[in-house]
Amino acid sequence: MIMKKIIAIILAAAMTLSLAACAGSTDNTTESAAAQQETTTKAPATEKETEVITGTDGEDVISLVDDEGKQLTELVQASAWGVSTWCIFNSTNKPGVAINFSEPLVNADNYNLPQPGLAESWSSNADETVWTFKIRKGVKWVDANGDEKGEVTPEDWLWGLEWVLNFWKNDSYQTTLPMSTIKGAKEYYEYTQSLPEDQAWELGVDKLQEMVGIEIGDDTVTYTCINSCSYFDSLAECVFLFPLAKGQLDEVGVRNFKSIDPFSLWCCGPYLPETYVENNSWSIIPNPTYWNIDNTTLFERVKIIKVESTDMSYELFLNNELNYPADLSTATINMIWNDPTNPWHDYLAKKADTGVSWGMFFNYAKKNLDGSDDVNWNKAAANENFRKCFYYGLDLYNYLALIDPIDPESAARGTMTVFGLASLSDNTDYTSLVYDEIGYHPFDNYTHQDLDKFEECKASALEELAADGVTFPIHIDMWTTSAQANVDKWTIFKEIIEDYLGTDFVEVELHTVVTSKMSEVYQPSYHSIELQGYGALFADPLTFLNQMCSDMSGNGEWADLYGHISECTNEEPVKLFEEFTKMVREASAITGDHDARYKALAKAEAFALEHVLCMPTHTPASREITPVNTYSKIAAINDTQSTRYINWRTNYEYYTMDDIEILKQAHIATGGTANFK
């Protein structure tokens, strides 16, 4: 078996040498070294003050005290992503800095609890099919200069939803959630799609009100759902339910709104655009008319510098061009961590969970490169004992070391859903229900490897598959992009599979794509297995479980895009997916008792794991050098609000790993959620 820790150290050292070699080939080595020496003064020179707080269980917890006098007034960070659009509706990615220019119906706080936004209150009927939001009065739309343009009114939510659901206006972005939850939304989208383009562009909101479950009053917006939707208040945080003023469309022209520049935007959120240099940098400043300005901590300025890679973030930080490098590459983390003399060695703080779940998925209808069915693999994937060989046989330590080189075990995940997604009435996290069902928890043991069960499953799989005409070793095709980080990741995963399962049993071939995994791999179905992540869209287990359901008509990424279950010709996995889907739908139909609903969903998730319809692997949370208390940030489980710079607690002195752990424990003690490790 792999000597996992030794190999992880060797891999880290190799990556460090590689990075050092690259640095040595540039003309900036001496300058960077000098900058590194110079910036050691950023590190705290004195111990931080502490206080004792009382946790929810009555026990005392030590907490760091933020010094108000040392709060950062300006935040400067880097981003490898440019601004693809300033129209927040017109993107499948999280909207980035532009999310700060508008405001949702419902905000989330740093405990992931819903808080009033543009809705000062909200309620639902008994079966949670109808949700009414009371709109805050007196909120102003302003331009980039802060000059008033109009008042935010309930009608703005009609124009916002019409834009999202109009096929020609919004190019099908942001439509999945409203079409799956709001009555008539899918029908309206299809109606606009059937119209001539010019006619669709001319639509107002009359037809929307006629067809879609949205009604407005003098100070209310009401949505009618297709089915019971207990989590609709978390959907109210999402972009598809943001307001859009008709006056904004009239001013810039309906056809121009999609390509709007930041200085033409009407704003009602906490910040206004200040500067924008395309593919270079942009900055934002507080909106003095923000409705909650007196109760919200805002930076005087947030500046973001575009970088070509995360490695550049660290270089800019060393050169004093950033005070928050945020994203560090694995190579940079390794370089710092493997050098105890590096001034930032103790400052590689662990990021909070991102609400993203990664897993390994089997393809049940794989094709060969000539387009023929890969019968040998498809028979193997359909065999439960074969799938269990991966679950019980693999130890992913070396793979996890690429995710978190400092504490690989903490990156492990054992559920399809993520921690902090939903809780029972007694504050028990939903994932605990799943772990109880499957009898395993990464907190106790980061890996579900069980070699006795593996040997038993392998023996059964060999016998069953041989009887079914399968030949050995079973060929596994895996695909990655040519980016070196991805090649490294998949190479490690290939070695883990072959080493633990045995090359007498399986053989892995790693391929690289030219441009797109979607067009070159997923759609033609050339992959045997896939490693991929999915981020929560709303605060309910269904956001993940839907991805495994066989009734999603191609919209279930895990079941359809990676699994191709609808094309599977082997009966066993099809029946398992159908049973899982039935369990999920029956659980979702439970109304009036959220605890019973969560418990039923947990049983469905445990069913999928016990039959290894997928295999959870990790969370992508990594490391950062930070002056920001990560547990002061908005903790919305969907990442729409992750770049809202509201109420961030900061310190001129950077937090050590120990500092962040103290802050985390204090956060948990006062009712917050964090990674299970």
Side-chain angles (χ1 to χ4, degrees):
M1 292 295 175
I2 292 174
M3 300 175 65
K4 61 187 180 186
K5 296 193 176 180
I6 292 177
I7 287 182
I9 292 170
I10 292 172
L11 174 65
M15 295 179 75
T16 302
L17 290 172
S18 174
L19 185 64
C22 292
S25 65
T26 69
D27 295 328
N28 299 320
T29 306
T30 304
E31 182 181 345
S32 296
Q36 180 171 335
Q37 182 67 31
E38 185 178 75
T39 56
T40 58
T41 56
K42 290 182 179 178
T46 59
E47 292 185 1
K48 295 182 179 68
E49 186 181 353
T50 60
E51 66 176 351
V52 176
I53 62 174
T54 302
T56 54
D57 58 2
E59 294 186 5
D60 290 340
V61 179
I62 297 295
S63 173
L64 295 173
V65 178
D66 291 322
D67 185 339
E68 285 287 353
K70 292 187 176 181
Q71 285 277 102
L72 291 177
T73 58
E74 183 169 322
L75 192 74
V76 187
Q77 65 180 98
S79 173
W81 302 96
V83 179
S84 59
T85 176
W86 292 101
C87 175
I88 60 173
F89 301 109
N90 195 241
S91 174
T92 54
N93 300 319
K94 61 184 180 182
V97 71
I99 198 70
N100 291 280
F101 303 151
S102 192
E103 184 82 350
L105 285 164
V106 177
N107 279 307
D109 64 11
N110 61 321
Y111 292 95
N112 193 26
L113 297 175
Q115 302 293 336
L118 290 181
E120 60 183 23
S121 63
W122 57 94
S123 61
S124 71
N125 63 350
D127 66 1
E128 296 173 314
T129 57
V130 179
W131 288 78
T132 298
F133 298 85
K134 184 177 181 182
I135 304 304
R136 188 178 304 278
K137 290 190 175 182
V139 178
K140 305 299 182 183
W141 289 108
V142 297
D143 63 18
N145 297 316
D147 295 330
E148 185 177 333
K149 305 296 290 187
E151 185 164 333
V152 176
T153 68
E155 184 181 355
D156 297 334
W157 277 269
L158 293 178
W159 289 99
L161 189 59
E162 200 286 325
W163 180 275
V164 168
L165 294 178
N166 191 311
F167 171 82
W168 294 101
K169 292 180 182 179
N170 207 44
D171 304 324
S172 302
Y173 291 116
Q174 303 289 342
T175 57
T176 300
L177 285 175
M179 289 197 300
S180 62
T181 54
I182 300 175
K183 187 176 181 181
K186 183 174 183 291
E187 289 75 11
Y188 185 79
Y189 170 82
E190 292 172 345
Y191 164 72
T192 64
Q193 188 177 21
S194 69
L195 293 176
E197 181 176 356
D198 288 345
Q199 190 174 338
W201 277 104
E202 293 173 0
L203 282 174
V205 295
D206 292 344
K207 194 66 176 180
L208 178 90
Q209 290 180 281
E210 176 187 323
M211 296 182 66
V212 181
I214 179 173
E215 298 178 13
I216 62 171
D218 291 339
D219 61 354
T220 59
V221 179
T222 298
Y223 299 92
T224 300
C225 301
I226 300 169
N227 299 302
S228 176
C229 192
S230 61
Y231 51 86
F232 196 84
D233 54 347
S234 75
L235 291 179
E237 301 171 8
C238 297
V239 168
F240 76 89
L241 290 186
F242 270 52
L244 171 61
K246 182 178 185 295
Q248 165 84 94
L249 298 175
D250 291 341
E251 182 175 277
V252 300
V254 176
R255 289 178 180 262
N256 296 324
F257 178 62
K258 189 159 48 177
S259 57
I260 195 169
D261 68 81
F263 306 107
S264 299
L265 282 168
W266 287 19
C267 306
C268 63
Y271 289 92
L272 302 175
E274 183 191 35
T275 64
Y276 174 54
V277 180
E278 189 173 0
N279 292 319
N280 182 281
S281 64
W282 47 97
S283 63
I284 60 176
I285 54 177
N287 176 2
T289 68
Y290 182 51
W291 71 269
N292 201 26
I293 191 73
D294 293 334
N295 302 307
T296 304
T297 301
L298 302 176
F299 294 102
E300 292 179 11
R301 175 178 290 103
V302 177
K303 181 178 180 180
I304 300 169
I305 300 172
K306 186 179 184 301
V307 294
E308 294 179 3
S309 69
T310 51
D311 287 330
M312 285 187 63
S313 298
Y314 185 58
E315 290 298 318
L316 291 174
F317 172 67
L318 294 182
N319 290 331
N320 289 312
E321 295 179 56
L322 303 176
N323 58 17
Y324 184 30
D327 293 321
L328 299 178
S329 69
T330 302
T332 299
I333 294 170
N334 272 308
M335 180 184 67
I336 298 172
W337 183 246
N338 292 331
D339 178 10
T341 66
N342 189 296
W344 300 106
H345 180 271
D346 296 334
Y347 294 85
L348 293 171
K350 191 172 183 66
K351 289 185 177 182
D353 201 330
T354 59
V356 176
S357 178
W358 276 72
M360 188 193 85
F361 306 97
F362 297 90
N363 184 356
Y364 301 93
K366 181 183 178 296
K367 301 286 187 181
N368 294 310
L369 293 179
D370 63 5
S372 62
D373 293 333
D374 188 342
V375 177
N376 207 59
W377 167 260
N378 291 337
K379 286 182 177 180
N383 183 279
E384 185 168 317
N385 279 311
F386 177 74
R387 298 194 302 274
K388 285 182 175 179
C389 287
F390 289 81
Y391 190 86
Y392 292 122
L394 302 185
D395 183 341
L396 300 180
Y397 185 92
N398 287 339
Y399 176 78
L400 298 175
L402 296 175
I403 311 303
D404 187 347
I406 297 174
D407 185 11
E409 296 179 7
S410 69
R413 186 185 301 288
T415 57
M416 298 156 60
T417 44
V418 297
F419 192 82
L421 185 71
S423 299
L424 272 68
S425 55
D426 65 359
N427 210 34
T428 298
D429 192 81
Y430 165 82
T431 57
S432 296
L433 300 176
V434 183
Y435 287 126
D436 288 345
E437 290 285 341
I438 63 178
Y440 152 75
H441 199 306
F443 184 82
D444 303 314
N445 182 8
Y446 78 94
T447 177
H448 39 63
Q449 183 188 50
D450 185 323
L451 295 181
D452 289 337
K453 289 184 178 179
F454 163 66
E455 294 295 347
E456 180 182 336
C457 291
K458 182 176 180 180
S460 297
L462 283 166
E463 181 180 350
E464 293 163 359
L465 291 173
D468 201 19
V470 172
T471 58
F472 301 95
I474 297 167
H475 188 79
I476 298 175
D477 287 303
M478 301 195 311
W479 295 78
T480 182
T481 64
S482 58
Q484 191 58 49
N486 289 330
V487 173
D488 291 342
K489 178 180 74 172
W490 280 94
T491 299
I492 290 293
F493 201 72
K494 162 184 160 67
E495 292 171 353
I496 289 172
I497 292 174
E498 291 186 334
D499 191 79
Y500 282 109
L501 301 193
T503 52
D504 63 322
F505 190 39
V506 296
E507 62 177 5
V508 181
E509 184 175 0
L510 185 58
H511 311 264
T512 56
V513 300
V514 177
T515 55
S516 165
K517 258 194 170 184
M518 177 66 74
S519 61
E520 295 175 44
V521 180
Y522 301 149
Q523 291 175 347
S525 195
Y526 291 154
H527 57 291
S528 302
I529 58 177
E530 175 62 5
L531 283 169
Q532 195 56 262
Y534 184 83
L537 298 178
F538 49 88
D540 189 82
L542 204 60
T543 189
F544 291 104
L545 302 187
N546 268 342
Q547 302 309 308
M548 283 287 289
C549 287
S550 58
D551 64 352
M552 290 293 288
S553 301
N555 289 319
E557 284 191 10
W558 294 347
D560 296 308
L561 185 60
Y562 311 137
H564 288 270
I565 192 63
S566 61
E567 302 158 34
C568 178
T569 58
N570 293 294
E571 189 174 316
E572 179 194 354
V574 172
K575 285 186 175 181
L576 289 173
F577 271 88
E578 289 176 348
E579 179 61 25
F580 167 76
T581 302
K582 179 183 177 183
M583 294 174 72
V584 169
R585 297 301 172 232
E586 289 177 349
S588 297
I590 297 173
T591 59
D593 189 341
H594 290 182
D595 285 5
R597 180 176 177 275
Y598 289 150
K599 289 175 181 178
L601 287 172
K603 287 184 180 296
E605 182 170 349
F607 175 88
L609 297 177
E610 288 164 355
H611 293 283
V612 198
L613 300 184
C614 71
M615 190 177 82
T617 56
H618 70 280
T619 174
S622 186
R623 302 277 166 170
E624 63 182 353
I625 297 171
T626 180
V628 181
N629 173 357
T630 190
Y631 297 102
S632 68
K633 295 180 181 181
I634 289 174
I637 202 65
N638 77 77
D639 66 4
T640 298
Q641 298 200 30
S642 63
T643 48
R644 282 170 65 80
Y645 300 98
I646 294 176
N647 295 328
W648 286 22
R649 300 290 293 159
T650 63
N651 201 309
Y652 280 141
E653 298 177 345
Y654 287 75
Y655 291 108
T656 66
M657 291 185 285
D658 290 341
D659 292 337
I660 291 295
E661 182 62 27
I662 291 172
L663 292 169
K664 170 186 167 181
Q665 294 305 324
H667 184 69
I668 294 173
T670 52
T673 59
N675 291 331
F676 52 77
K677 289 191 178 181

